[in-house]
Amino acid sequence: MEQYGPYINLQKPAIGLYVCKGASLPGLADKEDWVFDGNAGQNLLSPGVVEGVEAAGHPFSGHGLA
C-alpha cells in the first residue's frame, strides 16, 4: 500500500499538505511553517488527495489532517 507524508502548516493548522512518503516538500516560500505529521496509508486518504499527489506531487487539503 502506498504511504503518504502529511504536513501541517503551523500558521494555519486546518490546512494540510500531502506528499509521497520520503518525498521532500515542494519549493514552498514558507517551508519552515510546515511540520511533518507522520505517515498515512492510502486507505486513510480521500481519493482526491491520492489523485492530487499523483498529478501534482503535493495536494493541499482544507479539511486538516484527520
Side-chain angles (χ1 to χ4, degrees):
M1 175 184 332
E2 187 73 42
Q3 292 283 313
Y4 298 89
Y7 286 81
I8 295 174
N9 186 307
L10 297 175
Q11 303 301 318
K12 302 170 192 160
I15 299 176
L17 170 69
Y18 293 87
V19 297
C20 287
K21 181 180 177 182
S24 63
L25 287 176
L28 298 173
D30 60 349
K31 192 180 275 191
E32 65 279 352
D33 291 344
W34 294 90
V35 176
F36 180 71
D37 191 40
N39 291 306
Q42 182 174 348
N43 61 330
L44 299 176
L45 304 177
S46 71
V49 168
V50 174
E51 291 169 5
V53 171
E54 291 174 2
H58 58 277
F60 291 94
S61 172
H63 300 103
L65 301 171

